[in-house]
Structures are given as structure tokens and as C-alpha cells.
Amino acid sequence: MNPVRAEIGTVFVPVSDIAAARDWYCGLLGVPADGEILFDHLYLLPMTGAGLVLDSKIFSPDAVFRAPAFHLNTGDIDAAHRHLTGLGGEVMDITDGRWFTFRDPDGNLLMICEC
């Protein structure tokens, strides 16, 4: 029996300023930014499914995601695109009517897909 599960536990996102990243990601996800910053460098975002952890200890310009390491789901790609555009930053066009990429304030390339 294989002891490794076919399951993603948590994705760590390198961020330069943990408090600013917490506020930005909570705004992105529409969740309260009232959780505790752990060990002065970790913030666990409330998620369904795989976890998402912001980590300022692992940040460096070379550590940012140059390709999306995951995608966030949406039921309305147009509304999600408008939401991201309203947050500011670099938001690319919707592709094939189903997905788009964007950058967080640290330059991490992320993706949203309509599922």
C-alpha cells in the first residue's frame, strides 16, 4: 500500500509583507482578515479543499510563482475578472471564456478558472 495520498494538503505562497498579503488575499477571497499571523511569518487562509498559506519567511524575488501553482475556482468568470480588476494590479484577459491569470502584489502569477 502506498503511504502517500493523492491529495494536496497546503500550497505555500511566498509573500514579502505578511500583514499586507493577508489583507489582500482575504479581500480577494471575500473572507475576514481576522486570523492570527503565526510565528510572525505565516497566515492560513480559510479555504475549502486544499489549504493556502501565505509565508513571508520563504519570500525572495526568485521564489515568486512564474507559472500558476494552482487555480482558484469560480462559477462566474466575468464577475471574477471584474472583481480582480477592481483590486488593482496586473490582470490578464479571459482566455477561452473559462480562465485568466493575474499577479498578486508580490508578483506571484495565479489563475482563476470557471468550473
Side-chain angles (χ1 to χ4, degrees):
M1 178 182 286
N2 190 333
V4 180
R5 297 183 202 157
E7 174 183 318
I8 293 174
T10 300
V11 176
F12 286 81
V13 180
V15 297
S16 61
D17 180 322
I18 193 66
R22 173 202 58 205
D23 294 346
W24 190 86
Y25 274 87
C26 287
L28 165 70
L29 299 171
V31 297
D34 57 2
E36 181 182 357
I37 292 174
L38 304 172
F39 311 109
D40 296 321
H41 70 96
L42 295 172
Y43 189 78
L44 288 65
L45 289 157
M47 303 289 290
T48 301
L52 195 57
V53 175
L54 308 176
D55 189 349
S56 61
K57 191 173 185 177
I58 64 171
F59 178 81
S60 77
D62 293 332
V64 298
F65 299 154
R66 296 190 188 332
F70 60 91
H71 76 261
L72 298 167
N73 295 334
T74 185
D76 185 337
I77 197 69
D78 295 311
H81 194 267
R82 285 190 302 275
H83 176 63
L84 261 293
T85 302
L87 290 176
E90 186 179 1
V91 180
M92 287 53 138
D93 291 335
I94 297 171
T95 301
D96 299 328
R98 307 289 286 174
W99 62 274
F100 66 92
T101 56
F102 62 98
R103 293 192 186 279
D104 74 3
D106 287 303
N108 288 295
L109 188 63
L110 305 171
M111 179 183 283
I112 293 187
C113 292
E114 184 175 61
C115 299

